[in-house]
């Protein structure tokens, strides 16, 4: 049986009814009553039109529900009925712009910035691809997590019910804050505080563009979201594309990479039918810069400029303060060229299945001396280059922003594999790795679920969904690994075609 990652990128255009899985093995009873929730792109074709980029598929929310009285598991998939989804179905054609797909026209008489604002203002209002929240899901801070949020890279989010998977209400996380009303982009990876509020990084474009760090809370009524501006960082060197950021007890860490939004290309996208991804350029002669904000003062640290060799990172894994050596430690999955990385995720490239066409990263640790001044070259080391450890996850609750040892992610089972296909556990201190791979199947982002009253950092389980390009021969399954030994303890096999997912989390029994 042959299978490539491209072979699983097929449109799923119908909801997947609750399906009871075939279970082998046994998992800890403390998983019972919980559910693994995930989201990702599912529809790449609607009627007469098709999308170009993996990140553009219309969203589907997935649930693996663990029975509360047995070792049974039920899988359900539901398309998120966003404005974009409903408009596209009604038109029998894809409506709107995506990350790498273009469908709207603009006024050729508008200025460059006018087109930029016009595009994103439509996005924020919910027109076009503004509410296709297909990247990540997080618990809502209201109602004690009874509702969850589906996110993408703009301020529009959908609140959905984790049991029915119904999309219930759309919000703009900015609320009515006048300081943030022109914010058009944020990461899909907010950091959650102990009180349930969320920290994130956004963009306010213009002739003087800014990155902004902000905090989002739910209002007392539970019906609206409101955000407070924490800090503005001038984008004097042009706007960089970014996907995540780091946080410690004292600092926010944001990386400004040489993957820039090209305003000249943006000005001409009306005539060349370019997408946002097409308007990004990699500037070889610019370094990557670490922008640091002190959480005690809410001000950027400006007496030092941290620079590194050019790199791009979708995902931060973790960051922490190394007090003994007076430095910040920042761990990320790094790529040598951000443009080629983005381009390698166009559907045509993924379906081609050529390893040389797929960008591969390395898992790196950067050291930022806290007593430095002036321009400071940041040193780094490779923690794992054999396994890129993409989509990294940690024991977030106990170790996010703190010293840690274990990271879990996706790797390659062999150098000949064209795309990440296995689950990896990396010990960041010893650099020892453990790998789980299944021939003919591709893994999804691993989710670490800590055991109740856990005594060690890796006391818990890893949950990952494996998909095959030929589900008639190998069915999709949910894998449960013991996080400490990295041995399989159970799996739940589902008889249906399941689309790919990007990120997710586990809703446990409180």
């Amino acid at each position: 049986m042959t299978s490539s990652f491209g072979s699983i990128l097929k449109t799923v255009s119908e909801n997947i009814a609750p399906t009871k899985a075939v279970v082998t093995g046994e998992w800890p009873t403390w998983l019972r009553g919980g559910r693994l929730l995930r989201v990702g792109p599912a529809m790449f074709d609607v009627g007469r039109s098709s999308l170009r980029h993996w990140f553009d598929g219309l969203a589907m929310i997935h649930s693996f529900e663990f029975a509360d009285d047995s070792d049974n598991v039920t899988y359900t998939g539901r398309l998120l009925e966003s404005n974009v989804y409903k408009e596209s179905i009604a038109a029998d054609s894809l409506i709107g712009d995506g990350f790498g797909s273009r469908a709207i026209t603009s006024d050729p008489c508008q200025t460059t910035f006018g087109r930029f604002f016009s595009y994103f203002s439509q996005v924020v209002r919910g027109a076009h691809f503004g509410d296709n929240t297909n990247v990540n899901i997080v618990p809502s801070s209201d109602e004690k997590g009874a509702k969850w949020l589906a996110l993408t890279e703009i301020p529009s989010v959908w609140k959905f019910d984790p049991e029915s998977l119904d999309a219930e209400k759309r919000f703009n996380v900015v609320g009515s804050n006048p300081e943030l009303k022109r914010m058009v982009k944020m990461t899909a990876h907010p950091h959650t505080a102990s009180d349930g509020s969320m920290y994130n990084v956004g963009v306010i474009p213009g002739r003087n563009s800014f990155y902004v760090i902000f905090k989002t809370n739910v209002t007392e009524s539970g019906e609206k979201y409101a955000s407070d501006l924490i800090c503005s960082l001038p984008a004097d060197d042009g706007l960089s594309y970014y996907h995540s950021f780091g946080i410690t007890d004292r600092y926010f860490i944001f990386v400004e990479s040489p993957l820039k939004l090209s305003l000249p290309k943006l000005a001409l996208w009306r005539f060349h039918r370019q997408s946002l991804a097409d308007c990004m350029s990699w500037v070889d002669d610019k370094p990557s810069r670490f922008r640091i904000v002190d959480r005690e003062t809410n001000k950027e640290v400006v007496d030092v400029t941290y620079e590194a060799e050019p790199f791009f990172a979708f995902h931060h894994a973790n960051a922490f303060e190394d007090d003994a050596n007076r430095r910040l430690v920042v761990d990320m999955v790094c790529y040598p060229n951000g443009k080629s990385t983005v381009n390698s995720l166009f559907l045509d490239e993924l379906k081609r299945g050529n390893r040389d066409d797929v960008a591969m990263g390395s898992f790196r640790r950067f050291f930022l001396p806290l007593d430095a001044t002036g321009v400071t070259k940041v040193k780094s080391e490779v923690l794992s280059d054999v396994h890129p450890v993409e989509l990294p996850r940690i024991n977030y609750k106990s170790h996010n922003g703190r010293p840690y040892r274990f990271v879990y992610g996706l790797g390659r089972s062999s150098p000949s594999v064209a795309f990440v296909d296995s689950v990896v556990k990396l010990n960041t201190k010893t650099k020892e790795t453990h790998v789980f791979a299944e021939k003919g199947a591709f893994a999804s982002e691993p989710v670490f679920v800590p055991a109740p009253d856990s005594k060690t950092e890796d006391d818990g389980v890893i949950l990952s969904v494996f998909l095959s390009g030929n589900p008639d021969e190998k069915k999709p399954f949910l894998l449960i690994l013991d996080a400490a030994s990295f041995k399989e303890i159970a799996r739940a096999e589902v008889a249906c075609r399941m689309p790919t997912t990007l990120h997710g989390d586990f809703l446990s029994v409180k």
Side-chain angles (χ1 to χ4, degrees):
M1 179 181 66
T2 60
S3 178
S4 67
F5 186 77
S7 65
I8 68 176
L9 293 172
K10 297 179 180 179
T11 286
V12 175
S13 58
E14 301 289 340
N15 293 330
I16 303 172
T19 304
K20 190 173 181 179
V22 176
V23 176
T24 56
E26 297 181 0
W27 50 76
T29 56
W30 45 263
L31 286 177
R32 291 181 178 178
R35 64 183 70 220
L36 175 67
L37 295 167
R38 298 190 61 80
V39 70
M43 289 186 67
F44 302 102
D45 304 281
V46 178
R48 303 179 303 276
S49 54
S50 300
L51 290 173
R52 298 172 60 214
H53 202 278
W54 185 26
F55 294 170
D56 289 336
L58 299 182
M60 176 176 278
I61 299 175
H62 309 257
S63 169
F64 287 86
E65 180 183 2
F66 292 78
D68 58 9
D69 58 354
S70 68
D71 282 342
N72 291 329
V73 172
T74 300
Y75 165 74
T76 306
R78 186 170 183 82
L79 291 159
L80 190 147
E81 295 189 1
S82 62
N83 296 345
V84 170
Y85 169 83
K86 290 183 285 190
E87 291 176 15
S88 297
I89 295 299
D92 194 37
S93 178
L94 289 161
I95 302 298
D97 279 12
F99 181 85
S101 306
R102 174 141 170 74
I104 65 170
T105 60
S106 56
D107 183 356
C109 296
Q110 283 184 308
T111 65
T112 296
F113 285 108
R115 291 192 185 95
F116 192 66
F117 284 122
S118 175
Y119 166 72
F120 278 110
S121 66
Q122 294 174 79
V123 164
V124 172
R125 288 199 308 269
H128 312 302
F129 274 70
D131 66 345
N132 179 34
T133 51
N134 65 358
V135 178
N136 198 12
I137 54 175
V138 296
S140 171
S141 57
D142 66 329
E143 303 175 65
K144 297 182 179 179
K147 305 295 180 183
W148 281 49
L149 302 178
L151 304 87
T152 185
E153 292 191 325
I154 63 164
S156 177
V157 303
W158 273 98
K159 180 185 285 188
F160 70 93
D161 187 295
E163 294 186 6
S164 67
L165 306 186
D166 289 334
E168 297 188 340
K169 194 161 186 176
R170 178 181 169 274
F171 293 101
N172 187 313
V173 298
V174 169
S176 58
N177 188 318
E179 296 178 296
L180 296 170
K181 65 181 180 181
R182 292 194 300 114
M183 188 179 80
V184 298
K185 182 191 181 301
M186 67 179 190
T187 83
H189 294 281
H191 284 281
T192 305
S194 58
D195 62 359
S197 58
M198 294 179 291
Y199 293 99
N200 213 333
V201 177
V203 161
I204 296 179
R207 296 192 182 279
N208 296 306
S209 298
F210 290 89
Y211 307 106
V212 290
I213 298 175
F214 63 100
K215 180 180 180 180
T216 301
N217 296 288
V218 180
T219 59
E220 292 182 1
S221 67
E223 289 299 315
K224 293 183 178 179
Y225 284 78
S227 293
D228 297 320
L229 176 66
I230 293 175
C231 181
S232 296
L233 292 74
D236 296 333
D237 204 26
L239 282 173
S240 296
Y241 172 70
Y242 58 91
H243 186 75
S244 62
F245 68 105
I247 190 173
T248 71
D249 289 342
R250 186 171 176 181
Y251 298 100
F252 296 105
I253 304 102
F254 168 68
V255 176
E256 194 174 18
S257 84
L259 183 58
K260 301 292 185 179
L261 179 65
S262 171
L263 294 181
K265 288 185 178 181
L266 184 64
L268 296 173
W269 73 358
R270 162 70 172 83
F271 307 100
H272 296 296
R273 306 298 300 166
Q274 293 178 319
S275 68
L276 197 62
D278 295 324
C279 294
M280 296 176 186
S281 296
W282 184 251
V283 187
D284 289 302
D285 59 353
K286 290 187 182 295
S288 289
R289 296 175 58 200
F290 289 79
R291 310 286 293 269
I292 310 298
V293 172
D294 191 317
R295 295 181 62 183
E296 290 185 1
T297 64
N298 288 341
K299 294 182 179 180
E300 184 177 11
V301 177
V302 295
D303 54 352
V304 57
T305 301
Y306 295 108
E307 294 186 349
E309 292 298 314
F311 73 90
F312 169 75
F314 275 120
H315 297 112
H316 285 243
N318 200 11
F320 59 89
E321 298 155 35
D322 180 2
D323 294 331
N325 294 293
R326 286 289 298 155
R327 62 187 182 182
L328 273 176
V329 178
V330 185
D331 294 350
M332 291 177 287
V333 185
C334 301
Y335 297 86
N337 186 304
K339 180 65 173 176
S340 62
T341 302
V342 168
N343 287 350
S344 73
L345 299 176
F346 277 96
L347 294 174
D348 285 348
E349 298 296 329
L350 291 172
K351 291 176 181 179
R352 197 190 326 269
N354 184 346
R355 184 186 182 279
D356 293 335
D357 293 334
V358 179
M360 290 293 175
S362 62
F363 192 66
R364 300 188 70 90
R365 169 163 289 182
F366 294 86
F367 304 98
L368 283 62
L370 292 173
D371 54 2
T373 58
V375 177
T376 299
K377 297 297 182 181
V378 177
K379 296 180 179 180
S380 69
E381 67 177 6
V382 176
L383 297 182
S384 175
D385 53 2
V386 175
H387 300 288
V389 198
E390 189 50 281
L391 303 182
R393 297 294 294 263
I394 63 170
N395 187 335
Y396 187 92
K397 185 175 182 180
S398 63
H399 286 77
N400 185 55
R402 300 179 176 89
Y404 76 117
R405 178 172 295 181
F406 301 112
V407 62
Y408 312 91
L410 299 184
R412 291 182 290 123
S413 58
S414 74
S416 62
V417 174
F419 202 72
V420 286
D421 68 337
S422 54
V423 183
V424 175
K425 176 184 180 181
L426 170 67
N427 186 322
T428 63
K429 292 188 177 181
T430 67
K431 300 185 181 181
E432 179 185 10
T433 58
H434 297 275
V435 179
F436 182 96
E438 182 95 0
K439 186 176 181 180
F442 291 86
S444 70
E445 169 203 51
V447 174
F448 175 80
V449 185
D453 303 317
S454 56
K455 300 297 189 295
T456 60
E457 182 183 339
D458 60 349
D459 184 5
V461 297
I462 294 294
L463 305 179
S464 178
V465 180
F466 278 71
L467 303 180
S468 167
N470 191 339
D472 294 331
E473 295 185 27
K474 179 181 274 305
K475 296 179 176 62
F477 62 93
L478 171 65
L479 175 73
I480 300 95
L481 296 174
D482 177 85
S485 67
F486 226 58
K487 301 294 185 182
E488 178 179 347
I489 57 176
R491 67 173 62 190
E493 193 175 78
V494 183
C496 67
R497 177 173 288 281
M498 194 182 302
T500 59
T501 60
L502 292 174
H503 299 287
D505 215 335
F506 186 75
L507 172 60
S508 61
V509 178
K510 300 297 183 183

